[in-house]
Amino acid sequence: MSGQAAVASPRALILTADDFGLHPAVNEAVEMACRDGVLNAASLMVAAPAAADAVARARRLPGLRVGLHLVLADGPAMLPPARIPALVDAQGRFGSAMARDGCRFFFLPGARRQLAAEIRAQFEAFAATGLALDHVNAHKHFHLHPTVLSLTLAIGREFGLRAVRLPREHRAPLLLRPWLALLRRRLAAAGVAHNDYVVGIANSGAMDEATLLAALARLPAGVGEIYFHPAVVSGAEVTATMRGYRHADELAALLSPRVRAALDRTVPRRGGFADVLAPA
């Protein structure tokens, strides 16, 4: 069961591009993969440099479901640094020390208040686009943190939040399993729909055609999400922190006729979260 608010089909699949808005090369790939390939959804970074271009492309792609990709680590904030000095550097950018920042979110009331303000600002920025909110997830899966999750659910409810990514991959590390179980329970209690599993964590940045075809050959029952980082260029040309990512190979996989044929054969029920998670 994919959340108390949804009924899962025996097998359904969502193919999502993360980091929509990060770079024009990412946005171009998302448009290509939706128009000419098998991409169903994209997760928008509302404060990223190419967010306006991403929104313009999404508006001309009625088949693309768009969600909010909350950025609370390794990326730019929506609010100016003076509003959230406990969270960002002087340039308004979140750092990459997620364990440290997670402790600060949990223990420091001032940091939590600033975190709530930033999460609200990102939801407000998404709402201002006029796009329907298909789902919410967080950059680097930071919504696994209980404080981030609590604020996301409380604030997101005001903006029509109905679905959240459950980043549960087969053979998830033991360290993550309690947090995944907690996330699943919290989503169920809140009546927020979710996928049953993901594919893409173990091969992040390397979801090429062969990897994707192998994954499709062993999909379990339930609602799955396979997420990608496509772009028309790769690695550091997109951003320095993704130096080893093979973005162009991931785009090629989404455009592959062999992938489309495998999908049509094994899991014809596909779409965004709103499409494959029907209300009870």
Side-chain angles (χ1 to χ4, degrees):
M1 185 81 168
S2 299
Q4 289 184 346
V7 176
S9 87
R11 180 176 284 177
L13 193 61
I14 306 157
L15 292 99
T16 307
D18 279 358
D19 299 348
F20 195 32
L22 177 62
H23 190 283
V26 173
N27 300 347
E28 183 179 350
V30 169
E31 183 168 8
M32 291 172 62
C34 178
R35 188 186 61 231
D36 303 322
V38 296
L39 189 71
N40 309 125
S43 300
L44 176 66
M45 299 171 119
V46 291
D53 174 67
V55 172
R57 291 175 189 266
R59 286 175 178 155
R60 61 179 182 248
L61 293 167
L64 182 70
R65 305 300 188 190
V66 183
L68 173 60
H69 196 50
L70 282 169
V71 176
L72 304 168
D74 188 28
M78 196 73 216
L79 292 175
R83 290 277 309 277
I84 50 171
L87 305 184
V88 298
D89 62 19
Q91 288 70 48
R93 188 176 179 87
F94 292 99
S96 299
M98 293 172 65
R100 182 204 65 188
D101 290 340
C103 289
R104 295 173 72 247
F105 296 163
F106 190 83
F107 289 109
L108 301 180
R112 281 199 302 278
R113 286 192 293 270
Q114 292 180 28
L115 180 66
E118 174 62 23
I119 290 173
R120 179 174 294 279
Q122 292 190 35
F123 271 103
E124 288 174 343
F126 189 97
T129 69
L131 299 171
L133 180 64
D134 182 68
H135 61 273
V136 173
N137 54 53
H139 192 46
K140 299 192 173 182
H141 312 300
F142 216 170
H143 60 299
L144 279 169
H145 189 289
T147 303
V148 174
L149 177 62
S150 293
L151 292 171
T152 299
L153 292 176
I155 295 166
R157 202 172 284 124
E158 303 174 36
F159 294 88
L161 171 63
R162 292 185 176 87
V164 167
R165 172 184 291 164
L166 179 69
R168 175 179 172 269
E169 192 163 42
H170 180 58
R171 293 181 180 172
L174 288 173
L175 183 64
L176 285 182
R177 292 181 190 178
W179 302 107
L180 288 165
L182 176 63
L183 173 57
R184 190 167 194 161
R185 289 197 303 271
R186 295 278 302 278
L187 294 178
V192 173
H194 60 80
N195 53 300
D196 296 304
Y197 65 90
V198 296
V199 175
I201 297 174
N203 292 291
S204 188
M207 291 294 295
D208 59 16
E209 183 190 64
T211 301
L212 181 53
L213 287 171
L216 294 176
R218 55 176 185 268
L219 289 179
V223 175
E225 184 189 14
I226 305 180
Y227 73 94
F228 302 83
H229 299 89
V232 297
V233 297
S234 290
E237 290 185 74
V238 176
T239 182
T241 59
M242 303 177 92
R243 187 171 301 277
Y245 276 51
R246 292 159 40 207
H247 297 84
D249 288 343
E250 297 205 1
L251 172 59
L254 289 164
L255 295 171
S256 164
R258 283 187 288 185
V259 166
R260 182 184 290 277
L263 283 165
D264 290 345
R265 183 172 62 252
T266 60
V267 59
R269 180 168 166 75
R270 303 191 299 274
F273 281 80
D275 302 307
V276 303
L277 294 172

